[in-house]
Amino acid sequence: MSPDQEPTTGGISMPVPEPSPWNVPNALTVLRILLVPVFVWLVLRHGGDDAGTRWWAWGVFAVAIITDRIDGDLARAKGLVTTFGKVADPIADKALTGAGFITLSMIGEIPWWITVVILARELGITLMRFWVIRHGVMPASRGGKVKTFLQALAIGLFVIPLSTLPVEWLWRGLAWVILIGALVVTIATAVDYVIKAMTLRSTSDRARMKRERKAARGR
């Protein structure tokens, strides 16, 4: 029997029980959520002017991002994907990146308008997923993954006290290039998701049956 095949009893297919939520991938996800307030406190300490705590904040952010990669890969490899993980993982991701952009804007590293655009996109796409949930699930696209990677990379660079680095202008320029790239991909993927959502609402089985019922009543 293959790992994903459902066991049978007397020819009747039996559902495969979901793994226990008490596992390492979910523990890493919870750790990432718990690291968010620590990260925020470190970035905002002394108004963001303390280089030492900024480096500590970068370290906490780096650990959180690493757990994001590990927990998903581990859950899929070990068959430990759970409902809790599916819900908590994107919450942890958005809490971490959202806290990063907000705190960096609070200390003047990133303009507020960029933070507002990015957070509005995240909230809008989340609400849109719920809007089309009756028609089907919208999976994360490759562009969405690139967006998340660029956002995390930009946050990581701006958290670093760049004034302490040699050739500061070069590092700051790199940080801005990546941030603008993240902003462009964020907007582009938002447009792509809107198109996919509208297509899903018009082509799903639910939409087709609704059109058939409406046609039947019109006869």
Side-chain angles (χ1 to χ4, degrees), residues 148-169:
T148 301
F149 171 76
L150 290 176
Q151 287 183 1
L153 189 57
I155 291 170
L157 284 171
F158 276 101
V159 166
I160 294 173
L162 297 175
S163 60
T164 66
L165 298 180
V167 199
E168 176 191 351
W169 65 269

Side-chain angles (χ1 to χ4, degrees), residues 104-208:
L104 287 170
S105 290
M106 290 176 67
I107 64 174
E109 290 286 352
I110 292 178
W112 272 108
W113 71 267
I114 292 180
T115 294
V116 170
V117 169
I118 289 176
L119 295 185
R121 183 270 188 201
E122 299 298 339
L123 177 61
I125 296 301
T126 299
L127 293 176
M128 191 173 62
R129 286 179 184 275
F130 285 107
W131 181 55
V132 301
I133 192 68
R134 291 181 299 174
H135 296 269
V137 177
M138 292 176 56
S141 66
R142 181 172 299 180
K145 294 177 181 178
V146 172
K147 177 265 303 179
T148 301
F149 171 76
L150 290 176
Q151 287 183 1
L153 189 57
I155 291 170
L157 284 171
F158 276 101
V159 166
I160 294 173
L162 297 175
S163 60
T164 66
L165 298 180
V167 199
E168 176 191 351
W169 65 269
L170 180 61
W171 287 101
R172 193 167 295 278
L174 176 62
W176 273 102
V177 168
I178 293 173
L179 177 61
I180 296 303
L183 181 64
V184 170
V185 176
T186 295
I187 296 172
T189 53
V191 174
D192 181 57
Y193 274 123
V194 169
I195 294 172
K196 287 181 178 178
M198 299 304 295
T199 301
L200 180 61
R201 278 184 63 89
S202 61
T203 60
S204 67
D205 291 338
R206 181 185 179 88
R208 177 181 53 79

